Amino acid sequence: MDFLPDAIVPCILVYVTNAKDVASASCVSKRWKESIPYLNKLVFTRNIFDDVKRFSPDDIIGHMVSSINKLEELVVYCPFSGSGLASWLSLAGHSLRKLELKMDDNLVDMNSCSRKLDSIGAATNLESLKLWGVNMTRGPKWHTFHKLRNLEIVGAVTDDSNLHAALMACPNLSNLLLLGCEGLTDVFIELPHLEKCKLDFNGLGKCSLTVNSPKLQHLEVQGFSGIRVPATQFLRDLIISNTAGRVGALDFGKLVALESLEMRGVQWCWSAIHYMLQLASEVKHLLMKVEFTGDFDALQPFPEIDIVDFFNSHPKLTKFEIHGAMFAALCQRNSLRNVDSRFTIPCLEEVVVTVRSPLNAEQKMSTLESLINCGKKLRKMRIRILQMKSSHSSTDDFFEDICKFTHSHRRIVSIE
């Protein structure tokens, strides 16, 4: 280390971020010890202080943070106190650009939880903030983070008003990620610069959501029954899922830029499915993985869908992933009644079909054949056999038919 050229040292410092490695190296070389003030990132791993008994983690982290002239990124996964965090950020808050904390909050000590959140407000120049395990049952006392562009919170207990207060302190966000959040019922997000938003909430799937962000490009939501997004002129990717409840009321602006749409969940109201399919007429990638429909608790199968009307309504579709109920709806008795020699699917290049039942086997084989014959640009079809009951009398015959179909179109069709 002592003989390295000066120009090489900064290049090495970029890759040495683990706090334990930094401390060890400073004991080996005098030059390395003198280089510590020029580090810009420190990472304290989960178990870094397991064997340290003499000093407290708060004191050690504080000492290392204070030894760096301009710390730009701090990652702390090990346990820490609210007073410790406040002390570190009072030293480095002015220079920090990225902060990631594993909070480990619980409901036992409410004051400690609040102190940790409030302390983050000292890092006024943050551009990215990531928090794990947050108890936000009281709104954080933050000043406005004008430079914050990325906010990620994983595992939070909060409510509508406190989450809204936290988001209001981050008016210039372009990326928002909230995963595993609990305690929310009616979420309102109004961020003028937001481009990417991913929300995954726990509970009964009965939350409602309003997102008013005119620059939104990517939206992925899970756990909402009602969704309203009025400003959609730049929205390119949309994923809606609800594994616990029923997707019902949807209200979107015109989806003129939408390229990819994924609809997932156990149950959607048919009106919501029909609404999204009509609205997404220009979509290029469509994934349908909804098992049942129905406006009430009773689970209902999909109604019959005319395959000609469907593809004529989505002329730009290039990739189509069909799961279970949607495939069955395209394979009903009258689904192919309008298919003739003039019908073509102009842009379809790839189809992924998930088959779960041998019922209506003849109709399903006819639908697969029609996709091959009418898809003039089709180059790949994958057939997934999923949880098909082998005890059914027609299962073996149906599987044999699929194998024959695959062999006849082996350049395009494959079985998974």
Side-chain angles (χ1 to χ4, degrees):
M1 181 71 181
D2 292 336
F3 299 99
L4 285 175
D6 291 340
I8 299 297
V9 175
C11 298
I12 298 175
L13 292 178
V14 172
Y15 297 99
V16 182
T17 60
N18 186 291
K20 189 172 184 178
D21 295 338
V22 172
S24 300
S26 65
C27 299
V28 174
S29 166
K30 179 182 178 182
R31 189 176 180 189
W32 178 257
K33 186 175 183 179
E34 294 171 349
S35 301
I36 287 181
Y38 303 101
L39 291 171
N40 57 21
K41 179 179 179 180
L42 278 178
V43 178
F44 294 87
T45 58
R46 178 68 179 172
N47 301 316
I48 191 171
F49 297 120
D50 282 0
D51 299 326
V52 178
K53 308 298 182 184
R54 186 175 178 183
F55 300 101
S56 73
D58 285 351
D59 291 340
I60 297 174
I61 297 174
H63 176 74
M64 295 192 71
V65 168
S66 64
S67 66
I68 297 176
N69 293 338
K70 190 178 178 181
L71 186 64
E72 295 184 359
E73 185 171 355
L74 176 63
V75 179
V76 182
Y77 294 140
C78 61
F80 61 90
S81 69
S83 58
L85 178 62
S87 174
W88 319 329
L89 295 185
S90 68
L91 298 170
H94 63 286
S95 63
L96 274 181
R97 299 292 180 267
K98 298 179 180 180
L99 178 62
E100 183 170 353
L101 302 172
K102 194 173 190 305
M103 306 285 278
D104 278 336
D105 283 349
N106 55 57
L107 296 174
V108 176
D109 187 353
M110 298 295 296
N111 291 329
S112 175
C113 302
S114 298
R115 281 198 302 270
K116 287 182 180 180
L117 277 176
D118 294 344
S119 299
I120 296 172
T124 54
N125 292 316
L126 282 180
E127 296 173 4
S128 176
L129 174 61
K130 300 180 181 181
L131 303 175
W132 302 72
V134 182
N135 180 5
M136 198 186 295
T137 49
R138 180 181 67 74
K141 295 179 181 179
W142 292 344
H143 298 293
T144 303
F145 291 106
H146 291 287
K147 296 182 179 181
L148 193 66
R149 299 294 183 268
N150 179 61
L151 175 63
E152 300 181 16
I153 301 177
V154 180
V157 177
T158 184
D159 57 32
D160 301 334
S161 60
N162 289 322
L163 176 62
H164 183 72
L167 294 180
M168 287 299 96
C170 315
N172 298 315
L173 288 178
S174 59
N175 181 59
L176 173 64
L177 182 144
L178 304 174
L179 301 183
C181 297
E182 300 179 3
L184 296 152
T185 56
D186 189 359
V187 180
F188 181 79
I189 297 172
E190 188 170 22
L191 297 167
H193 303 287
L194 189 65
E195 296 178 0
K196 187 175 181 180
C197 181
K198 182 176 181 180
L199 311 174
D200 187 341
F201 288 1
N202 297 336
L204 300 176
K206 295 183 179 180
C207 292
S208 63
L209 170 69
T210 299
V211 180
N212 189 13
S213 300
K215 296 183 179 181
L216 191 64
Q217 298 178 19
H218 176 95
L219 177 62
E220 181 176 351
V221 297
Q222 202 292 128
F224 296 91
S225 61
I227 303 169
R228 182 174 180 268
V229 187
T232 56
Q233 58 267 40
F234 297 110
L235 188 61
R236 294 199 310 262
D237 305 298
L238 176 59
I239 302 173
I240 303 174
S241 176
N242 195 336
T243 57
R246 180 176 61 252
V247 177
L250 299 178
D251 183 10
F252 285 80
K254 293 183 178 180
L255 300 176
V256 293
L258 193 68
E259 297 180 357
S260 176
L261 172 63
E262 297 185 16
M263 293 187 280
R264 302 172 179 268
V266 176
Q267 184 183 17
W268 282 48
C269 294
W270 179 249
S271 59
I273 296 175
H274 186 258
Y275 173 78
M276 290 307 304
L277 290 178
Q278 278 192 321
L279 209 58
S281 58
E282 303 295 307
V283 73
K284 296 179 180 178
H285 174 210
L286 176 61
L287 183 148
M288 290 287 299
K289 193 176 182 181
V290 180
E291 299 300 328
F292 299 97
T293 184
D295 295 335
F296 304 101
D297 291 339
L299 303 177
Q300 301 291 332
F302 278 30
E304 186 177 273
I305 297 177
D306 186 291
I307 195 170
V308 175
D309 289 345
F310 176 81
F311 282 104
N312 284 342
S313 300
H314 302 86
K316 296 182 180 181
L317 195 61
T318 58
K319 183 176 181 180
F320 188 25
E321 298 186 54
I322 330 168
H323 294 249
M326 183 65 181
F327 182 55
L330 291 169
C331 299
Q332 298 301 310
R333 179 176 300 176
N334 296 316
S335 296
L336 302 176
R337 65 181 182 273
N338 294 321
V339 176
D340 56 30
S341 58
R342 296 171 295 175
F343 172 63
T344 60
I345 306 174
C347 298
L348 192 64
E349 297 179 3
E350 183 176 353
V351 176
V352 180
V353 180
T354 299
V355 183
R356 302 184 64 174
S357 169
L359 298 177
N360 296 328
E362 184 177 347
Q363 290 296 120
K364 289 177 179 177
M365 296 310 304
S366 297
T367 300
L368 293 175
E369 195 71 51
S370 296
L371 292 174
I372 292 285
N373 295 334
C374 301
K376 302 304 179 182
K377 293 185 179 180
L378 191 66
R379 54 182 178 80
K380 182 183 292 186
M381 175 184 286
R382 288 181 286 162
I383 303 175
R384 294 173 176 168
I385 311 297
L386 180 65
Q387 297 177 345
M388 189 180 295
K389 295 180 180 179
S390 59
S391 59
H392 198 282
S393 59
S394 60
T395 299
D396 291 341
D397 293 338
F398 182 43
F399 188 74
E400 184 177 349
D401 290 340
I402 291 177
C403 291
K404 290 179 180 179
F405 174 78
T406 303
H407 181 73
S408 300
H409 306 283
R410 54 186 175 273
R411 292 185 179 181
I412 297 176
V413 183
S414 62
I415 298 177
E416 294 181 2

